[in-house]
Amino acid sequence: MAKISKISGFPEWLPEQKLAEDRLISKIKKVYESYGFVPIETPAVELLSSLNAKGFQQKEIYLLSRAAAEQDQEADMALHFDLTVPLARYVAQHFNELTFPFKRYQIQKVWRGERSQKGRFREFYQFDIDVIAREQLPLSCDAEVLSAFDQALSTVGIAKHQIHLNNRKLLLGFYADLGLSDQQSQLTIMAVDKISKIGREGVADELATVVGLKNDLVERILAFVEQRYSSDRFGELEKDFCIANTLFRDGLLELGQLIDLLSVSARRNVIIDLSMARGLDYYTGTIFEVYFPDYPETSSFGAGGRYDDLASHFINRKLPGMGASIGFSRIVDFALQNNLLDISQKTVVQALVAVYSEQQRRECNLLAEKLRECGVACEVFYQAPKLGKQIDYAVSKGIRYIFFLDANENTIEVKDLETKEQKRIADIKSWVNGL
Amino acid sequence: MAKISKISGFPEWLPEQKLAEDRLISKIKKVYESYGFVPIETPAVELLSSLNAKGFQQKEIYLLSRAAAEQDQEADMALHFDLTVPLARYVAQHFNELTFPFKRYQIQKVWRGERSQKGRFREFYQFDIDVIAREQLPLSCDAEVLSAFDQALSTVGIAKHQIHLNNRKLLLGFYADLGLSDQQSQLTIMAVDKISKIGREGVADELATVVGLKNDLVERILAFVEQRYSSDRFGELEKDFCIANTLFRDGLLELGQLIDLLSVSARRNVIIDLSMARGLDYYTGTIFEVYFPDYPETSSFGAGGRYDDLASHFINRKLPGMGASIGFSRIVDFALQNNLLDISQKTVVQALVAVYSEQQRRECNLLAEKLRECGVACEVFYQAPKLGKQIDYAVSKGIRYIFFLDANENTIEVKDLETKEQKRIADIKSWVNGL
């Protein structure tokens, strides 16, 4: 017999967990569709040359090969590791068939060949939205993406969320104003981004030793990045840092306009976090990450930002974009681990038709057909054992109603397992209408 | 710039096509759930040792490797090529957590490293249902799976379908009765299964040369397999072939009982086709394939059958099952090629909020929030160009209503692009209720 080894990093749920996951997916889809995002799905497989375009760590890519290929013609195929590179390829490939601004949502598995650690998945769902425009993408799109993202997270309803918001221009302008070189700014951004992991001391140490900054600069940087402002205190940020640098002023202006255009809910859930930098990603303006503040030990559950140029690797056009990605499998896994997801529903079936004897199965099937026509999901018990066994089955699956059909007497009775009430019914339709 | 090469065999749809595909998926899910099937999803990746269990053609399997693995620890991982082997592994692995009979539906991509031919996909969706029982699986489950499968296809509504039905025992019993050895029976089944491709002559030739059968046997076999009976003519089949062979009688009995237990619709759509054998698959009783008779040049769009033993490779238990698989991507591709799928809807958005000037965007956003709260999907135009351009956008995306907000006058007007009517409205809620 083959050994059944769980492959670590490849999560798999029980049916009741999958039902709960599917409900979340439906809810998020509905939110994104209500904002005008349309669905796309790209193959799991892309050319390796496409995936390498953005300089992703090659060793995390899963390459494909045929088990017994005559000629290895597939050697350049690999599984996608995110949904952004496939989006870039998709937009370039279908450029003339799409309406711009192109607003798409996409929920798909992605694969990353990481060493498997606790909570690190190698196959997981991402749920992305992006708006792509031709040439110019106004700040209204940043606000729309953030508002939709905020509403999606509210709809998921697993835990209270907080969106940490920042702007790359603000950061780069601040460091330039301090006299840092471009390279020093990059190194500083990378060091500061780790503040939640390595702490104030750790960052100070790295700024001094790795970036080579003097003590007073280190202190000024730490004083800056430790600031947090709720969106209604944006005015204070403007007063606290009167810096003339153009890039800084641009960033500040963008941040203010963005907050102004957010939905009421998103404005409430946003906090300006000057330490957040999104590593060395390709973002150029707005950046954000989402956290569950009641679970301070958890890392970000989603993130996104504005980029100037989506697909220059594939097409000779300027396509600025703004996107948000939900770490969907991470959220579901977190919710399951912390019992925050209702998994009591084991089936969507509401009614079980009990079977007295195999002779009556045809009539039982017809009754079930009628119930389904009236929109009631139902099962006919697969055998005809004693009724107690059939009732046990209904209870174990969480099915509420049991139908008893007496084909000889031509009567139907329904037992409500919740109220324990049992009554004879004259007609399926009126029973359904009374639900 | 990276070349954008379409990788053949990996289909990808435009948003309006994906919207249509998603509607079909929802419809099929709803049907299967109404019969009590619960969803599962397995990773795309399985251990190669699991995939090899059923003796699938190894060369069609896509193996995974890490682009720069330090040690090639993933060498034994591969993409699944169907959903049956993952189901077997899943049932064995979660045996103690599942309720039996275990009825699951599963829609996922599968991957087959075939040479790409016209219409042959290397990545495609399968939509499967199976019922797995412990020890005994009554014929009622065969009927349930077939009835649900039939209703799913009716709900898809792409083309009229016909389910070709047969029984392995009937076939094997007939050939045994003719005096064929087991090996000759197998070869005969394989030859006859090709009748739609190579024709009567081709089969006759193969039976004579490959199987080594004499002319009169060949004629008797052809006379048998060419028979087709609608379900209400089942009695004639019994009369036409009075064969005493036990296996044949068993098959006949099963077929009759199965037809008797089918839903009204499935009984109408079934045709008994004695030539259909499902190759050398692991089926042991009921077998079926579905065709679109109005498109006689197309091959089967789905199939399934009864098997005695799902997971003996993984677990020391007898788990008989009955399953049906819809070639979902094939159906969608067929429907798109033949313009049988409504792809006129380019978005689910019903309303566009026009923006006169950027100063009014905040009010426009608030109006959109109100519309969404009332369940109306809507967009706010991302810029504030002349109204004509915004109306063009609504038309191109198929959005029916445009909202004009005059923030100074505090008035809202709605234009219905279908009736061309424009009117002032007092209140969003009452407008929505009037839709």
Side-chain angles (χ1 to χ4, degrees):
Chain A
M1 254 187 293
K3 228 174 67 185
I4 315 172
S5 350
K6 205 182 161 328
I7 321 182
S8 76
F10 291 80
E12 168 172 275
W13 315 132
L14 290 172
E16 55 271 28
Q17 297 170 326
K18 179 63 186 156
L19 269 174
E21 179 176 86
D22 281 352
R23 279 195 299 271
L24 291 189
I25 293 174
S26 294
K27 284 180 180 178
I28 300 176
K29 274 189 183 176
K30 215 172 162 199
V31 168
Y32 285 155
E33 288 182 348
S34 83
Y35 275 82
F37 293 87
V38 292
I40 71 165
E41 180 170 340
T42 59
V45 174
E46 299 281 343
L47 290 176
L48 189 58
S49 55
S50 304
L51 296 180
N52 281 338
K54 293 273 173 184
F56 190 79
Q57 286 210 2
Q58 247 222 356
K59 64 177 178 177
E60 294 194 0
I61 296 180
Y62 279 119
L63 297 176
L64 294 191
S65 61
R66 290 257 293 282
E70 297 83 15
Q71 286 170 313
D72 211 350
Q73 294 188 320
E74 267 90 44
D76 55 347
M77 280 171 23
L79 296 178
H80 57 213
F81 54 81
D82 75 359
L83 302 178
T84 306
V85 175
L87 171 66
R89 197 263 312 141
Y90 183 95
V91 169
Q93 190 169 330
H94 302 285
F95 187 79
N96 294 317
E97 302 158 285
L98 303 176
T99 309
F100 289 89
F102 178 55
K103 298 164 65 176
R104 80 88 174 78
Y105 71 83
Q106 187 170 2
I107 173 161
Q108 279 185 252
K109 294 270 185 75
V110 304
W111 291 267
R112 292 191 188 170
E114 308 191 52
R115 272 159 199 258
S116 195
Q117 307 162 23
K118 190 180 176 298
R120 279 269 173 154
F121 291 142
R122 297 195 270 184
E123 170 175 313
F124 55 96
Y125 271 119
Q126 281 195 337
F127 206 143
D128 281 18
I129 50 170
D130 283 85
V131 186
I132 313 294
R134 284 188 292 202
E135 304 297 335
Q136 291 289 332
L137 184 81
L139 216 57
S140 63
C141 294
D142 296 43
E144 186 177 52
V145 165
L146 255 178
S147 302
F149 177 71
D150 169 72
Q151 201 182 322
L153 289 160
S154 299
T155 306
V156 162
I158 295 297
K160 193 165 66 95
H161 67 275
Q162 194 167 48
I163 301 172
H164 291 231
L165 183 64
N166 201 356
N167 186 297
R168 270 286 171 82
K169 290 176 188 165
L170 197 87
L171 287 186
L172 293 171
F174 180 80
Y175 297 133
D177 188 67
L178 289 182
L180 269 62
S181 70
D182 284 358
Q183 204 208 338
Q184 284 178 315
S185 292
Q186 294 291 346
L187 289 172
T188 301
I189 284 175
M190 280 171 68
V192 168
D193 214 20
K194 292 186 269 187
I195 198 162
S196 62
K197 279 179 200 146
I198 62 176
R200 192 180 204 277
E201 304 280 294
V203 174
D205 188 55
E206 200 165 316
L207 290 181
T209 57
V210 179
V211 195
L213 301 182
K214 294 216 172 110
N215 254 351
D216 63 321
L217 272 184
V218 170
E219 281 309 314
R220 283 175 68 185
I221 289 172
L222 286 171
F224 174 69
V225 300
E226 283 181 334
Q227 299 303 314
R228 295 196 177 186
Y229 302 85
S230 60
S231 57
D232 55 349
R233 287 177 56 234
F234 178 74
E236 292 175 34
L237 165 62
E238 282 188 297
K239 278 184 215 143
D240 288 349
F241 300 96
C242 288
I243 292 168
N245 178 286
T246 319
L247 207 52
F248 183 86
R249 304 303 313 170
D250 279 357
L252 206 61
L253 191 71
E254 284 185 13
L255 202 50
Q257 285 181 348
L258 169 60
I259 287 169
D260 201 46
L261 291 174
L262 287 178
S263 69
V264 176
S265 156
R267 207 175 301 137
R268 200 171 42 229
N269 291 326
V270 150
I271 187 158
I272 299 165
D273 173 358
L274 297 177
S275 76
M276 196 264 300
R278 303 283 310 126
L280 283 179
D281 268 343
Y282 42 84
Y283 298 112
T284 50
T286 304
I287 44 177
F288 61 92
E289 288 179 352
V290 72
Y291 291 86
F292 292 164
D294 293 340
Y295 299 85
E297 75 288 358
T298 57
S299 55
S300 154
F301 285 94
R306 143 86 65 145
Y307 40 90
D308 276 343
D309 206 350
L310 175 75
S312 57
H313 186 72
F314 297 107
I315 190 171
N316 194 15
R317 283 188 183 265
K318 197 177 167 232
L319 297 171
M322 166 76 186
S325 178
I326 296 177
F328 185 71
S329 292
R330 270 211 67 216
I331 291 186
V332 172
D333 181 57
F334 163 80
L336 289 172
Q337 303 271 354
N338 292 276
N339 300 314
L340 300 170
L341 205 53
D342 178 10
I343 53 168
S344 60
Q345 200 191 2
K346 293 201 162 190
T347 171
V348 305
V349 163
Q350 297 159 273
L352 177 73
V353 179
V355 181
Y356 283 111
S357 75
E358 287 302 334
Q359 286 69 45
Q360 297 203 352
R361 183 171 296 281
R362 251 193 100 155
E363 279 71 31
C364 293
N365 285 350
L366 287 172
L367 172 60
E369 282 193 56
K370 266 186 223 156
L371 281 164
R372 289 189 197 108
E373 273 165 28
C374 295
V376 176
C378 66
E379 288 188 61
V380 180
F381 200 72
Y382 79 123
Q383 291 171 325
K386 290 203 171 124
L387 283 184
K389 206 179 158 187
Q390 305 191 41
I391 295 173
D392 286 351
Y393 175 83
V395 171
S396 77
K397 298 263 308 227
I399 300 171
R400 179 161 174 185
Y401 301 101
I402 305 196
F403 278 73
F404 304 102
L405 177 77
D406 189 327
N408 302 325
E409 300 278 328
N410 200 22
T411 59
I412 300 171
E413 297 205 354
V414 189
K415 177 161 189 161
D416 182 337
L417 289 175
E418 229 171 273
T419 64
K420 312 282 176 203
E421 222 183 332
Q422 182 163 339
K423 60 178 180 189
R424 181 169 295 192
I425 62 169
D427 167 63
I428 300 294
K429 257 194 192 155
S430 24
W431 178 80
V432 173
N433 289 336
L435 280 183
Chain B
M1 249 184 300
K3 229 174 68 185
I4 317 173
S5 349
K6 204 182 162 325
I7 321 183
S8 76
F10 292 80
E12 168 172 274
W13 315 132
L14 290 172
E16 56 270 28
Q17 297 170 328
K18 179 62 187 153
L19 269 173
E21 179 177 85
D22 281 351
R23 280 195 298 273
L24 291 190
I25 292 174
S26 294
K27 283 180 182 177
I28 299 175
K29 274 188 182 176
K30 217 173 158 195
V31 168
Y32 286 154
E33 287 182 349
S34 83
Y35 275 83
F37 293 88
V38 293
I40 70 164
E41 180 171 339
T42 59
V45 173
E46 298 281 345
L47 291 176
L48 188 59
S49 56
S50 303
L51 296 180
N52 281 338
K54 292 274 173 186
F56 191 78
Q57 287 211 357
Q58 247 224 355
K59 64 175 180 178
E60 294 194 0
I61 296 180
Y62 279 119
L63 296 177
L64 294 190
S65 60
R66 290 259 292 285
E70 296 83 15
Q71 285 171 314
D72 214 348
Q73 296 187 318
E74 266 90 45
D76 55 347
M77 282 172 20
L79 296 177
H80 58 214
F81 54 81
D82 75 358
L83 302 178
T84 305
V85 176
L87 171 67
R89 198 261 314 139
Y90 183 95
V91 169
Q93 190 167 332
H94 304 284
F95 187 79
N96 293 317
E97 302 158 286
L98 303 176
T99 309
F100 289 89
F102 179 55
K103 298 164 62 175
R104 80 87 172 80
Y105 72 84
Q106 188 170 3
I107 171 159
Q108 280 185 252
K109 294 271 185 73
V110 304
W111 291 267
R112 293 190 188 172
E114 306 191 52
R115 274 158 197 256
S116 194
Q117 308 162 22
K118 190 177 175 299
R120 279 268 172 155
F121 291 141
R122 297 194 271 183
E123 170 176 314
F124 55 96
Y125 271 119
Q126 280 194 339
F127 206 142
D128 280 20
I129 50 171
D130 284 84
V131 185
I132 313 295
R134 285 187 292 202
E135 303 299 334
Q136 289 290 332
L137 184 81
L139 217 57
S140 63
C141 295
D142 296 44
E144 186 176 52
V145 164
L146 254 177
S147 301
F149 177 73
D150 170 72
Q151 200 182 323
L153 289 160
S154 299
T155 306
V156 161
I158 296 298
K160 193 164 64 95
H161 67 274
Q162 196 167 49
I163 299 170
H164 292 232
L165 183 65
N166 201 355
N167 187 297
R168 270 285 171 83
K169 292 176 187 163
L170 196 87
L171 288 185
L172 293 172
F174 180 80
Y175 296 133
D177 188 68
L178 289 183
L180 270 61
S181 70
D182 284 356
Q183 203 207 342
Q184 283 178 317
S185 291
Q186 294 291 345
L187 290 171
T188 301
I189 284 176
M190 281 171 68
V192 168
D193 213 19
K194 292 187 268 186
I195 198 163
S196 62
K197 282 179 197 144
I198 62 176
R200 192 181 205 278
E201 303 280 295
V203 173
D205 188 55
E206 203 165 313
L207 291 181
T209 57
V210 180
V211 194
L213 301 182
K214 294 218 169 108
N215 253 353
D216 64 322
L217 272 185
V218 171
E219 280 310 314
R220 283 175 70 185
I221 290 172
L222 285 171
F224 174 68
V225 301
E226 282 181 333
Q227 298 305 315
R228 297 197 176 185
Y229 302 85
S230 58
S231 56
D232 55 350
R233 288 177 52 236
F234 177 74
E236 292 176 35
L237 166 61
E238 283 187 296
K239 277 185 218 145
D240 288 351
F241 299 95
C242 289
I243 292 168
N245 178 286
T246 319
L247 207 52
F248 183 87
R249 301 307 310 171
D250 279 356
L252 205 61
L253 193 69
E254 285 185 12
L255 203 50
Q257 285 181 345
L258 169 61
I259 287 168
D260 200 46
L261 292 174
L262 288 178
S263 69
V264 176
S265 157
R267 207 174 304 137
R268 201 172 41 229
N269 290 326
V270 150
I271 188 158
I272 299 164
D273 173 358
L274 298 177
S275 77
M276 196 263 300
R278 304 281 312 124
L280 282 180
D281 268 344
Y282 42 83
Y283 298 112
T284 49
T286 304
I287 43 177
F288 61 92
E289 289 180 352
V290 70
Y291 291 87
F292 293 164
D294 293 340
Y295 299 85
E297 75 287 0
T298 57
S299 55
S300 154
F301 285 94
R306 142 87 64 148
Y307 40 91
D308 275 344
D309 205 352
L310 175 74
S312 56
H313 186 70
F314 298 106
I315 191 172
N316 193 16
R317 281 186 182 268
K318 198 180 167 227
L319 297 170
M322 166 75 188
S325 179
I326 296 178
F328 185 71
S329 292
R330 270 211 67 217
I331 290 186
V332 172
D333 182 58
F334 164 80
L336 290 172
Q337 304 271 355
N338 292 278
N339 299 315
L340 300 171
L341 204 53
D342 178 11
I343 52 167
S344 61
Q345 201 192 3
K346 294 201 159 189
T347 171
V348 304
V349 163
Q350 297 158 274
L352 178 72
V353 179
V355 181
Y356 283 112
S357 75
E358 286 303 332
Q359 284 70 45
Q360 297 202 353
R361 182 171 298 280
R362 250 192 100 154
E363 279 71 31
C364 292
N365 284 350
L366 286 172
L367 172 59
E369 281 192 57
K370 265 184 225 159
L371 281 164
R372 288 188 198 110
E373 272 165 29
C374 296
V376 177
C378 66
E379 287 188 62
V380 180
F381 201 72
Y382 78 123
Q383 291 171 323
K386 290 203 173 124
L387 283 184
K389 205 178 158 186
Q390 305 191 42
I391 295 172
D392 286 352
Y393 175 82
V395 171
S396 78
K397 297 258 316 221
I399 300 171
R400 178 161 176 185
Y401 302 101
I402 306 196
F403 277 74
F404 304 102
L405 177 77
D406 189 327
N408 301 325
E409 302 277 331
N410 200 21
T411 58
I412 301 170
E413 296 205 351
V414 188
K415 178 161 189 163
D416 182 337
L417 289 174
E418 228 171 274
T419 64
K420 312 286 176 201
E421 220 182 335
Q422 182 165 339
K423 62 177 177 187
R424 180 168 298 190
I425 63 166
D427 167 64
I428 300 292
K429 257 193 193 155
S430 24
W431 178 79
V432 172
N433 289 336
L435 279 183

